[in-house]
Amino acid sequence: MLKQLDEILLSDNAREMFYQNYQNQEFKNWILSILPEIELCKNQKQDNPWHIYDCLDHILHSVEEMNNQTRYMDFETRKMLAYTMFLHDIGKPQCYFRRYSNLYGRYVDSFFNHNLVSEKIAERVLPKLEFNKKQSNIICLLVKEHDLFMNLTLEDDGNKYHIVLTQQYLDKLFKKFNVFCDGKKLLNFLVMVGRADNLAQNPKMTKESLKKIDIFENMLKKERAKNEIDFLKT
């Protein structure tokens, strides 16, 4: 069954294949025994301008968007990043509440801190999905940080919750992520996660967010090029 799930999540049409297999009672019982949150996500609407899919639909679309980016990577990396997307919003139903948004002038569905709940769920299920310790740590980190780009701005806008994207901030992230392994590599993975997540949302809302992700990625590329030049000079 686990190999079957791997094949589903790494396919070009992961969403369609997942729902087809989910109709099979044996497969459904197996996956719900590991991840009962799937059924909650399947029934979780997302009445919010940023979303056009229910929670599970968004998750599966994001898996497909990740697969589009990892097509030429090695199998283990592709698998790790596909499962990152499969788990990144899995805790949303547990964080659901309705609130009035002054920005949109109406009530919307919100899921504050769902990244932390999703991280806890990932910690629980990844050993059952046969990921090793290092892979599990990386997936959990990416799940926890997947909304990082949401609070980034290109200039100070006076919002205390926003962080201006600067080289100094990038350096802090390098140090933070280096605790797990190669910080720059992990940040490149995070760029891919952020892009896949955004591409599975409402395209009318994500233009600026995708622009920030592109700028972040370009800063990473410049830093890598600078390090290569410095290395050649030594």
Side-chain angles (χ1 to χ4, degrees), residues 166-180:
T166 63
Q167 185 59 51
Q168 290 75 18
Y169 176 67
L170 205 59
D171 290 341
K172 288 182 180 179
L173 289 178
F174 287 149
K175 292 179 181 178
K176 178 180 178 180
F177 280 51
N178 271 332
V179 172
F180 294 86

Side-chain angles (χ1 to χ4, degrees), residues 83-114:
Y83 274 92
T84 296
M85 301 318 301
F86 189 55
L87 295 168
H88 83 285
D89 276 355
I90 201 72
K92 270 190 169 182
Q94 297 181 40
C95 302
Y96 165 77
F97 71 101
R98 291 283 288 177
R99 67 179 177 89
Y100 186 82
S101 168
N102 290 323
L103 180 61
Y104 304 120
R106 68 176 182 88
Y107 282 91
V108 298
D109 292 345
S110 292
F111 307 92
F112 290 156
N113 292 325
H114 73 273

